[in-house]
Amino acid sequence: MGIFGRAGARKQDDTVGGDITVDRCWRNPALDAGVDAVEEGALNAGVTLLREARTDPELRALYVDALSEAAVGRSGQIRALLTSETDRQEAADILLWLGGTLISEAWKIRGAGAADTVGADRFKLFFATLTEAREPLLAAAEINPDDPVPWNGLQWFAIGMQLDRGEKDYIWQRVVERFPTLYPAHWGRLQMLSAKWGGSHEEMMEFARGSVESAPPGNPLTSMVALAHAERQLGRMSELASRRRYVAAIRMNVTYYSDQVKQELVEAARRWCAAPVEHPRDLQAHNLFAWSFKEAYEEDHARWHLHQVGDRAHRWPWGSGGDPAGEFAKARSRFGLA
């Protein structure tokens, strides 16, 4: 839900490409075990994990994202966990998970392609499934008014349902009032402001730079500038290709990461990594910087960030060219980390 590696849809827990694991971007054995259990149908493992993360919004958001992807196809079973005897706080956990799973199921139906590649029947099912996510997320927010995680999920509901900008801004405001530095919410907001979802490159970049400035010391939120540059580079290339300006698109691929862009990335990474504070999204942020520095031919920086993630690749942006595991493997080989 929060992470559209969300170029189109957030996907986690696929192991492909030999020893490379795509999208389990965390250092958390309990979550690994919980995701495995949920994929096998043991839903109580997910309930237990969410119960343990009630007081930590960043961890709670990560758990909801991972467990929702693991439970795709089981939203009916999650709904069945709710009974008249369910404890109120446990009901909030289950409602949050149900909403997240419905969003994941919806985006799975839609797929990651552009709108013109999605058939009318698939869009109809996408909207119908996504609509079901609203009520459980709002119910979870009503039980725990201070919890930002339901509102984080509602950002992806708003993007998919093509709500107007005022409604999207309202949801974003509900997040930042509760937890102003929630990492996946910033990822979602950046997507919401991007050109491909009706915003602009300029507004997206302004938001990303503001995220760097407001990031607490040692917080990976500074990686939003790497995400924004990746989105802008790939977006411009796509625009040129759609107009059949293929030579210009190739040139954009080669020249986008100017000295000015490189310096901005180096400074953003330094603000985080000079004295990092452990964070549930560290591996995700390292993946963003590794890919960006690879594209910028900043080999020492790329190698260092790749080393931090080990064998755990995030689908976005490694999957922007098709095969995330393959691209990640090529980068590891190029930088002597295979």
Side-chain angles (χ1 to χ4, degrees):
M1 176 179 45
I3 311 307
F4 236 179
R6 282 203 174 198
R10 177 180 45 86
K11 302 177 182 177
Q12 288 172 298
D13 304 331
D14 300 320
T15 301
V16 289
D19 64 343
I20 294 171
T21 301
V22 177
D23 276 356
R24 290 199 185 196
C25 287
W26 55 73
R27 299 184 184 95
N28 191 319
L31 182 54
D32 279 329
V35 164
D36 288 341
V38 168
E39 287 180 339
E40 294 169 5
L43 300 186
N44 283 337
V47 175
T48 299
L49 281 172
L50 290 170
R51 182 187 306 128
E52 294 172 353
R54 287 174 183 167
T55 60
D56 184 338
E58 291 284 9
L59 193 62
R60 186 168 175 82
L62 175 63
Y63 282 8
V64 170
D65 282 349
L67 294 169
S68 295
E69 282 299 316
V72 164
R74 300 184 186 275
S75 56
Q77 294 170 254
I78 296 173
R79 193 188 303 273
L81 295 174
L82 290 164
T83 72
S84 59
E85 298 178 357
T86 304
D87 172 79
R88 185 172 172 81
Q89 286 303 315
E90 187 158 301
D93 296 339
I94 296 170
L95 287 163
L96 184 55
W97 187 13
L98 174 60
T101 301
L102 287 164
I103 289 175
S104 292
E105 290 176 347
W107 285 102
K108 187 89 169 179
I109 292 165
R110 184 196 184 281
D116 59 8
T117 67
V118 183
D121 288 344
R122 194 140 54 96
F123 256 130
K124 184 176 180 180
L125 185 55
F126 165 68
F127 287 129
T129 304
L130 195 57
T131 297
E132 292 185 50
R134 181 178 180 273
E135 185 177 342
L137 290 173
L138 288 176
E142 184 176 355
I143 294 171
N144 290 320
D146 294 332
D147 187 0
V149 182
W151 296 101
N152 175 54
L154 284 163
Q155 285 202 116
W156 295 107
F157 167 83
I159 291 173
M161 295 300 295
Q162 303 172 18
L163 300 187
D164 65 36
R165 179 60 182 271
E167 292 172 293
K168 293 173 180 176
D169 289 350
Y170 175 85
I171 293 169
W172 168 244
Q173 210 43 50
R174 303 291 78 74
V175 175
V176 296
E177 287 171 356
R178 289 156 177 79
F179 201 85
T181 58
L182 190 65
Y183 187 95
H186 280 73
W187 186 302
R189 179 64 173 176
L190 189 147
Q191 295 293 326
M192 191 179 285
L193 298 175
S194 68
K196 69 186 178 190
W197 293 113
S200 68
H201 294 315
E202 292 73 22
E203 190 173 21
M204 176 187 68
M205 291 303 308
E206 182 181 357
F207 173 78
R209 289 168 178 144
S211 298
V212 174
E213 292 300 316
S214 63
N219 190 291
L221 204 56
T222 65
S223 65
M224 288 300 106
V225 80
L227 176 61
H229 277 300
E231 290 283 359
R232 185 165 67 169
Q233 178 207 15
L234 295 167
R236 285 178 171 175
M237 288 172 59
S238 178
E239 291 164 10
L240 290 168
S242 69
R243 289 151 51 195
R244 299 189 178 183
R245 295 182 59 191
Y246 301 119
V247 174
I250 293 170
R251 187 181 300 118
M252 172 65 68
N253 186 40
V254 174
T255 63
Y256 177 84
Y257 284 91
S258 64
D259 289 344
Q260 182 179 357
V261 172
K262 291 178 185 180
Q263 187 55 43
E264 184 170 39
L265 289 169
V266 168
E267 176 60 21
R270 185 200 64 78
R271 285 175 65 102
W272 168 33
C273 298
V277 178
E278 187 175 356
H279 191 284
R281 303 285 179 165
D282 283 342
L283 297 191
Q284 196 171 327
H286 280 302
N287 270 278
L288 281 172
F289 277 120
W291 186 90
S292 297
F293 283 128
K294 182 264 297 183
E295 290 290 297
Y297 293 93
E298 288 287 333
E299 296 198 355
D300 288 343
H301 292 290
R303 182 181 297 107
W304 188 83
H305 286 282
L306 268 177
H307 180 71
Q308 307 311 308
V309 303
D311 64 356
R312 301 207 171 196
H314 197 271
R315 188 170 301 275
W316 181 256
W318 293 107
S320 59
D323 174 20
E327 290 302 310
F328 185 78
K330 284 194 286 187
R332 290 208 306 178
S333 178
R334 171 178 162 185
F335 300 120
L337 297 173

